[in-house]
C-alpha cells in the first residue's frame, strides 16, 4: 500500500496563532504516526504561482491514515486555530510506487 502525503500551503495572518496551532496539532500528528517531512517558509517556485508563506508536507502510512488524522477529534480541536491564523489550502496525495519495484 503506498504512503500518503498531506500538503498544506499557509498564508499566515497571525504568527502567534500559528504557534498555538502547532502546539495543539503536534500531539495529533504523533498519535497518528505521521512524519513532518518539510515545513518551509520559502519554497522555491519553479513554475506558476504558489500560495502562502509556508508549505508543510506530512507523511502517513496510507490515504486512510491521513484521512483518519484529519477527521480525528484530536486534530479537530487544533484545526480551528490554523483556520483562524492563516488562509490554508490542503490536499492528500497518494505516494507513487514504481511499477515492478
Amino acid at each position: 500500500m503506498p504512503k500518503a502525503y498531506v500538503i498544506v500551503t499557509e498564508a499566515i495572518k497571525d504568527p502567534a496563532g500559528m504557534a498555538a496551532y502547532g502546539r495543539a496539532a503536534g500531539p495529533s500528528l504523533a498519535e497518528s504516526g505521521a512524519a513532518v517531512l518539510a515545513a518551509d517558509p520559502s519554497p522555491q517556485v519553479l513554475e506558476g504561482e504558489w500560495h502562502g508563506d509556508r508549505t508543510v508536507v506530512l507523511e502517513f502510512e496510507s490515504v486512510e491514515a491521513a484521512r483518519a488524522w484529519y477527521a480525528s477529534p484530536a486534530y479537530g480541536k487544533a484545526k480551528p486555530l490554523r483556520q483562524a491564523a492563516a488562509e490554508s489550502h490542503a490536499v492528500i496525495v497518494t505516494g507513487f510506487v514504481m511499477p515492478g519495484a
Side-chain angles (χ1 to χ4, degrees), residues 4-7 62-63 66-67 70 90-94:
Y5 302 89
V6 172
I7 303 169
S62 65
V63 168
R67 286 186 183 139
Y70 190 79
V91 296
I92 296 174
V93 296
T94 303

Side-chain angles (χ1 to χ4, degrees), residues 4 10 19 26 36 41 51 55 58 66 70 73 75 78-79 81 90 95-97 99-100:
E10 302 165 333
V36 179
H51 168 263
T55 299
L58 307 172
Y70 190 79
Y75 186 63
K79 191 181 338 178
L81 297 172
F96 181 75
V97 177

Side-chain angles (χ1 to χ4, degrees), residues 22-65:
R23 290 188 298 275
S28 73
L29 288 167
E31 289 171 14
S32 71
V36 179
L37 299 182
D40 193 340
S42 57
Q44 296 178 24
V45 178
L46 300 176
E47 293 185 27
E49 293 189 31
W50 197 253
H51 168 263
D53 323 289
R54 179 168 55 194
T55 299
V56 177
V57 180
L58 307 172
E59 180 182 64
F60 292 85
E61 286 302 312
S62 65
V63 168
E64 293 76 17

